[in-house]
Amino acid sequence: MKRTMILIMLLSESLLGQSGLAYLGLSSPPSTDFSTTENTWPSTSYTPFELAGGMIFVEADLNGRRAHFIFDTGAPGLVLNTRQRVKGHQRANGVLGETELGQVEVDHFRWAGWEFHGVSAATMDMRSFEDLTGRSIDGLIGYDFIKGKEVFIDFDNRLIRLSLRSNPIDGKMTPRASTAFRLLDHLPIVKVKLGGKNAYFGLDTGSEINILHSRWRDRLPGKLKNGHLLQVDGKRQKVETMVVDQLSIGRVALDEMNYYLVDLSALEAEYGVQLDGILGFPFFHSQAVSLNFSRRKLCLWH
C-alpha cells in the first residue's frame, strides 16, 4: 500500500469548536501534470475567501457544481471529501496516526480564474469534521494549484492573490524580512530562531493552530496547559500547550503565540528531516505574509 503525505484535519477542543489542520506525509501524491492538460491561467488573479475559525474557505467549480474547499498550502493538490469510508491504496501518516486515502479523476475543476481538466484527486472521509464544525467541506485545495506562483493572503479584504509574475509584490512594498524556504514535497520549510537556536518550521495556511515539537517542552520558558486535538477521522489525543515568545524569522521577532506540543519524531524519521513545528493560521493572520513558490521565498510585510 502506498504511503502519502497530505494534511490531516485536527480540531482543538479548547478552541470552542474551531478547527485546525496539521501536516501529513506524502511519498506519491495523486497529482496532475498541468502542463499537458488543456488548462488556462491568468497572470494574476484574486479570489475571495471566508474565514471560519482559522480556516480559509474558498468556492470552486467541481464538475459543474459549486463546491466549498479549504485553501491549504500543506495539502499536495486536490483532496475530495467522499462522505463515506474510504478503502484505498494509499495511507496518509499524520500527527495523530494514519488514515486511508482513495483516488478519483475529476473531469473539470475551476478555481481562482484557472480551469483544469483531467485532474487526479485524493479522497478521504471528512464527515466527522463536518459534524464538528457544522460546515460543508467538499475538500482541500493545495500545492498543485499554487506551485510556480506567489501567494499573498489579504485578511483585511478577504482576498487571496495568486500571481505568475516572478516578483509581483517586491518593489511596491518593503518587506520587514525575507528568507528562503525549501520544500518537503509540497510543504514549505523555513529556518527560524527559537530560544536562540536554529529550528525548522513548516508553513501551512490550512492549519488553524501552531504546532511545536514536544522535544522543546523543557527547553523554553512558559506555563503548560492541557488541551485536546481531534483528527478528521475521529482520532483523539491529549496534548499540552504553551505560549512562546522566543521565535524570530530574520530580524523580525514574532509576537507571542500559542503552540500545541506534539511529538513529530515519526514524521522526521519517515522523511529524514528536522521538523520542529508548524506555523499555521495564528502566524499568517498576525501580519502580511507572501509565499513565492517560484523563487521559494517567504516575505513578511509592513
Side-chain angles (χ1 to χ4, degrees):
M1 180 176 287
K2 295 181 180 178
R3 187 179 299 275
T4 197
M5 177 183 289
I6 191 177
L7 260 162
I8 252 189
M9 299 183 186
L10 297 176
L11 183 138
S12 164
E13 290 181 333
S14 65
L15 292 178
L16 301 177
Q18 297 177 1
S19 52
L21 298 170
Y23 182 67
L24 272 180
L26 191 88
S27 58
S28 54
S31 61
T32 299
D33 181 359
F34 291 147
S35 64
T36 63
T37 58
E38 296 179 4
N39 304 309
T40 58
W41 295 273
S43 60
T44 301
S45 68
Y46 296 84
T47 185
F49 67 84
E50 177 186 359
L51 276 181
M55 293 185 298
I56 299 173
F57 274 87
V58 296
E59 287 190 357
D61 183 289
L62 177 65
N63 289 332
R65 70 173 180 86
R66 187 173 68 175
H68 299 89
F69 288 82
I70 296 170
F71 176 64
D72 183 0
T73 58
L78 190 62
V79 184
L80 300 181
N81 182 7
T82 58
R83 297 184 175 91
Q84 61 184 2
R85 185 176 178 181
V86 172
K87 289 188 177 181
H89 301 290
Q90 299 187 80
R91 294 194 70 83
N93 59 316
V95 173
L96 301 186
E98 295 185 333
T99 190
E100 287 192 47
L101 299 179
Q103 185 171 346
V104 297
E105 294 294 317
V106 175
D107 293 333
H108 176 259
F109 186 74
R110 178 181 175 85
W111 175 66
W114 280 269
E115 290 195 36
F116 307 90
H117 302 274
V119 179
S120 294
T123 62
M124 63 187 301
D125 186 358
M126 303 181 190
R127 285 177 299 177
S128 62
F129 194 63
E130 288 183 309
D131 292 341
L132 289 166
T133 60
R135 295 291 301 251
S136 173
I137 303 170
D138 291 294
L140 312 176
I141 294 175
Y143 174 71
D144 277 348
F145 299 91
I146 56 177
K147 61 185 178 183
K149 305 176 182 67
E150 182 167 66
V151 178
F152 187 88
I153 304 175
D154 182 350
F155 283 99
D156 289 337
N157 297 299
R158 299 292 193 266
L159 290 173
I160 298 171
R161 173 177 174 157
L162 302 175
S163 179
L164 288 172
R165 299 173 186 172
S166 60
N167 210 7
I169 297 176
D170 289 358
K172 297 181 181 180
M173 297 187 294
T174 302
R176 301 170 62 207
S178 64
T179 187
F181 64 77
R182 60 189 177 91
L183 290 176
L184 171 60
D185 285 342
H186 53 276
L187 181 72
I189 304 289
V190 65
K191 183 169 73 172
V192 306
K193 285 289 185 181
L194 180 60
K197 299 183 181 297
N198 289 336
Y200 297 87
F201 276 67
L203 302 172
D204 179 12
T205 63
S207 177
E208 191 187 54
I209 59 176
N210 293 326
I211 292 175
L212 180 65
H213 197 310
S214 55
R215 64 166 165 253
W216 288 90
R217 180 184 185 276
D218 299 320
R219 302 182 191 178
L220 299 171
K223 183 178 180 181
L224 296 171
K225 296 183 178 181
N226 292 324
H228 289 84
L229 295 178
L230 296 174
Q231 192 164 278
V232 64
D233 54 5
K235 294 184 176 70
R236 179 190 300 260
Q237 181 173 311
K238 183 179 179 179
V239 299
E240 294 178 312
T241 71
M242 68 183 303
V243 174
V244 175
D245 63 357
Q246 298 186 22
L247 193 148
S248 60
I249 297 177
R251 293 172 294 180
V252 176
L254 301 185
D255 295 334
E256 63 178 28
M257 292 184 290
N258 197 46
Y259 291 79
Y260 285 71
L261 298 175
V262 178
D263 187 354
L264 301 177
S265 300
L267 286 177
E268 291 183 309
E270 179 72 28
Y271 300 102
V273 298
Q274 179 180 339
L275 185 63
D276 296 288
I278 295 171
L279 293 173
F281 174 78
F283 164 72
F284 285 94
H285 192 253
S286 66
Q287 60 212 302
V289 178
S290 66
L291 290 170
N292 191 314
F293 286 90
S294 176
R295 302 172 63 196
R296 297 195 178 181
K297 182 179 179 182
L298 164 72
C299 287
L300 308 182
W301 301 93
H302 290 285

